[in-house]
Amino acid sequence: MVAPKILVVEDEKIQAVDIKNSLIKLGYTVTETTDYAEVVVKKIADINPNLVLIDICLAMELDGLQVVDIIQNIFQIPVLYLTDSFLYKNILENKLQDPFSYILKPFTEKDLHIAVEIALYKHKIQKQLQTEKQRLLSIINSMGCAVLVTDVNVRIEMMNPLAEMLTGWQQTEALGKYLVEVLNLVDQDTGERIANLATQAMQAGVVLRLPDNCRLIAKNGTEIPIGDTVAPIRDSLGNITGAVVVFQDITQRKQTEAQLIRNAFYDGLTALPNRVLFLDRLKQALERCKRRVNNHFAVLFLDLDGFKEINDRFGHGMGDDLLIAIARRLESCLRSGDTVARFGGDEFAVLLEDIKDVGDAINIAKRIQETLGLPLHLNGVEIFTTASIGIALSCSGYDEPRTLLRDADTAMYRAKEQGKANYIVFDNKFLT
């Protein structure tokens, strides 16, 4: 094992020699002693010692203070102060706050040995901690999530580059600020500020998830949907010492979720509600009808007349354009609370809510037929189309959405049998 190298900076020659001899006797390597602060840096660069023993009187000089700073912060070498008076300890109290950072003269060889070993051990542990800290920082900075760390008072202690990017705050300006100043979270639906989740996590001692509707207002005012967790930080004894917020921009996820919802509930061609969403709204209308005595609604089932011939003659591209145009015309015929859906092919369904009687449903059916009867100009071609419409009323005592829809479909086929552009109101006689 290589003996640690020690540089002694002492202006009293006899004492310098005594210290050097004691250190050599204790098994250390002492290649040089010096009493000039200005040459210490060069000596350190030449011999690269493991420890510097410096007389506190030299350290008090301006050059000495600068040298000590260079030794500790540039060369990363530990310093052990030599002093023969508590007076100097008081003068340089800010330099001697750490335990075992100095040794009082006169000292025994044993005292010197203990002080040197402790100084070397402290430096070794500090280097290990610094290495581990750098490793953890590297991991945190390499994460694909933003990370904010607070102390127990919810003041920011650390943030990684991604947190800086998302919040718009640099770590240097955010340090010491309260978390809510930097991580400004609001409820997407209400616009209200979300309570300090870090405080809640520390008080409860559990990991909390950020709300689904959580939005981050960045420093420049940009709003970003974010998600993930906030958790308490515990020391080795289990005491909570702070909190860590891990979050990420979930804009893409929100867009994907919205697209999945659209795919599940809306027609991909016309952007109208599909059968699944229409049946859900129809079910809700039935429930309201059961609770309210005079609440009536109707279902219209539509099938375009001659759509197959148009598709065969002009091609499926023209057929798709026609369906999109029909969807927009159907929407224009309805009130804001009504629903028009595409069931596939050239079949459409309409839910008319809050009607007085069958007359309201018939009037809207006529309006639809009049609107669809107007010529359409698609890709330089003038096209005429009509629709057969079946009407089923809620006042017939339906319990199931599909039953009401079936009867509207039955009425539509009766209308189609009578020729183009007709409507029929369902009657129980159809089933006999």
Side-chain angles (χ1 to χ4, degrees), residues 117-145:
E117 285 298 306
I118 289 177
L120 292 171
Y121 180 75
K122 277 176 58 182
H123 182 65
K124 177 182 176 182
I125 296 301
Q126 287 170 352
K127 283 185 65 176
Q128 290 176 349
L129 291 174
Q130 186 65 24
T131 300
E132 185 63 23
K133 181 179 178 181
Q134 289 299 324
R135 178 175 175 274
L136 290 174
L137 283 175
S138 297
I139 293 172
I140 291 172
N141 290 339
S142 302
M143 289 175 64
C145 298

Side-chain angles (χ1 to χ4, degrees), residues 3-22:
K5 290 184 290 185
I6 298 176
L7 175 65
V8 179
V9 183
E10 171 62 70
D11 59 350
E12 295 185 16
K13 297 292 185 181
I14 296 177
Q15 211 163 49
V17 172
D18 287 343
I19 294 172
K20 177 180 178 179
N21 292 335
S22 294

Side-chain angles (χ1 to χ4, degrees), residues 70-336:
I70 292 171
I71 295 171
Q72 293 179 318
N73 298 318
I74 304 301
F75 288 98
Q76 299 291 309
I77 294 173
V79 170
L80 180 63
Y81 292 99
L82 305 171
T83 179
D84 55 7
S85 171
F86 276 103
L87 172 63
Y88 297 122
K89 176 179 179 296
N90 294 331
I91 294 174
L92 288 183
E93 187 173 0
N94 63 321
K95 288 285 183 182
L96 306 178
Q97 288 178 344
D98 291 337
F100 310 106
S101 59
Y102 63 92
I103 181 171
L104 286 173
K105 305 175 186 176
F107 45 77
T108 65
E109 197 171 273
K110 180 179 179 181
D111 292 335
L112 179 64
H113 189 203
I114 292 173
V116 168
E117 285 298 306
I118 289 177
L120 292 171
Y121 180 75
K122 277 176 58 182
H123 182 65
K124 177 182 176 182
I125 296 301
Q126 287 170 352
K127 283 185 65 176
Q128 290 176 349
L129 291 174
Q130 186 65 24
T131 300
E132 185 63 23
K133 181 179 178 181
Q134 289 299 324
R135 178 175 175 274
L136 290 174
L137 283 175
S138 297
I139 293 172
I140 291 172
N141 290 339
S142 302
M143 289 175 64
C145 298
V147 179
L148 273 168
V149 178
T150 78
D151 61 17
V152 72
N153 296 314
V154 206
R155 291 183 181 272
I156 292 177
E157 290 186 327
M158 176 267 182
M159 59 194 304
N160 71 351
L162 192 52
E164 292 180 322
M165 185 183 75
L166 292 182
T167 63
W169 288 78
Q170 294 299 307
Q171 178 173 264
T172 51
E173 59 183 344
L175 291 178
K177 291 187 179 295
Y178 286 109
L179 178 65
V180 292
E181 296 182 63
V182 177
L183 196 68
N184 185 9
L185 304 181
V186 297
D187 186 299
Q188 178 181 345
D189 300 327
T190 65
E192 294 180 358
R193 196 165 192 173
I194 294 175
N196 195 323
L197 296 174
T199 300
Q200 294 179 24
M202 286 190 287
Q203 289 175 346
V206 297
V207 178
L208 299 177
R209 295 199 65 82
L210 297 180
D212 290 336
N213 55 351
C214 180
R215 294 184 78 85
L216 164 67
I217 300 181
K219 192 178 182 182
N220 63 2
T222 303
E223 292 193 19
I224 308 166
I226 63 170
D228 226 315
T229 59
V230 54
I233 299 173
R234 299 179 186 274
D235 61 19
S236 58
L237 299 176
N239 299 314
I240 293 176
T241 59
V244 56
V245 186
V246 179
F247 60 99
Q248 54 188 312
D249 183 347
I250 57 172
T251 300
Q252 185 61 49
R253 192 180 85 190
K254 288 288 187 181
Q255 291 174 347
T256 301
E257 290 174 354
Q259 188 58 51
L260 290 173
I261 290 173
R262 291 204 65 82
N263 293 343
F265 297 109
Y266 289 86
D267 175 53
L269 177 65
T270 65
L272 292 177
N274 61 12
R275 179 189 292 267
V276 174
L277 182 53
F278 185 86
L279 285 172
D280 181 68
R281 292 183 180 177
L282 181 54
K283 181 179 179 181
Q284 294 177 37
L286 275 172
E287 293 299 323
R288 285 193 294 272
C289 189
K290 291 176 184 178
R291 295 193 301 268
R292 304 172 189 170
V293 177
N294 295 318
N295 184 276
H296 302 297
F297 65 90
V299 170
L300 279 59
F301 201 90
L302 292 77
D303 187 86
L304 299 183
D305 299 321
F307 177 76
K308 184 178 184 303
E309 289 75 11
I310 295 172
N311 225 9
D312 292 342
R313 180 180 177 184
F314 298 105
H316 292 288
M318 179 69 83
D320 288 347
D321 291 342
L322 175 60
L323 290 171
I324 294 171
I326 294 297
R328 303 291 81 82
R329 286 194 169 185
L330 288 174
E331 287 176 325
S332 71
C333 294
L334 304 179
R335 302 162 300 172
S336 60

Side-chain angles (χ1 to χ4, degrees), residues 302-306 362 365-374 384-390 411-412 414-424:
L302 292 77
D303 187 86
L304 299 183
D305 299 321
I362 291 174
K366 288 179 177 179
R367 187 190 308 165
I368 290 173
Q369 287 179 329
E370 289 172 1
T371 303
L372 295 185
L374 299 173
F384 293 87
T385 186
T386 57
S388 299
I389 303 175
M412 181 274 294
R414 286 297 180 95
K416 192 173 283 287
E417 289 172 0
Q418 296 181 12
K420 296 181 179 180
N422 280 314
Y423 68 85
I424 290 288

